[in-house]
Amino acid sequence: MDKRSPENCKDKILYFSPNDNGISYFTNALIYIGEHNEQGSLGLIINRPLEITTKQFYESMGIKVTSNLAQKKLLMGGPVNPGAVFILHSADTEWDSTMLINEHISLSTSKDILEAIAIGNGPVDYLITLGYSGWESHQLEEEIFENAWISAPLDYRIIFKMEPEDKIKGLSDLLGFNVEMVSPNPGNA
């Protein structure tokens, strides 16, 4: 591996650069990176809604919903362990399995947070995802070095306040260019 470009990606938003190799699982994915260290990286896709409504998900879990759910559809968090539930949320409260990512964002996987959301006692902001995106040690740095990803600073508004279909435009506005028009392949003028 070439370590010329080490970058700590924790707390960043990554966009998969379009390329000439065709469609990839990550094409047009925005991923919030919640952990990045020597062991590897973990992130959640924040803009890929599933056909499963949040209400249907709760019904399948046997959890009664008595409040208005802010999130209408579940998100596909990534290809790893797609049967597992991950809740990215504001860090205003902790639950049984909460991992604090930064002072504003946490990640939880326990049923108690789902039950709290169902009755209106959950976090202020949240995204419920199935699965996660993961990389082995130094794999993500190598992919960034190869221009597979565009790295952007954390923007809470993009993560939690925008609809999934608006998040790529939100990231483009933040960066000042249309990320969908960037090619990872350098050319000659």
Side-chain angles (χ1 to χ4, degrees), residues 76-129:
M76 175 52 74
V80 182
N81 202 3
V85 179
F86 294 84
I87 304 98
L88 190 65
H89 59 89
S90 51
D92 43 346
T93 309
E94 285 190 24
W95 283 270
D96 289 342
S97 66
T98 299
M99 176 180 87
L100 185 67
I101 296 172
N102 64 42
E103 65 182 290
H104 303 289
I105 300 175
S106 292
L107 179 67
S108 296
T109 58
S110 52
K111 190 174 182 181
D112 60 335
I113 185 174
L114 292 171
E115 293 168 336
I117 291 169
I119 61 171
N121 291 333
V124 173
D125 296 308
Y126 63 89
L127 295 176
I128 302 172
T129 73

Side-chain angles (χ1 to χ4, degrees), residues 13-34:
I13 298 173
L14 301 183
Y15 174 75
F16 187 76
S17 296
N19 64 54
D20 297 332
N21 297 330
I23 302 295
S24 157
Y25 180 87
F26 291 109
T27 298
N28 290 327
L30 286 184
I31 301 179
Y32 172 69
I33 302 297

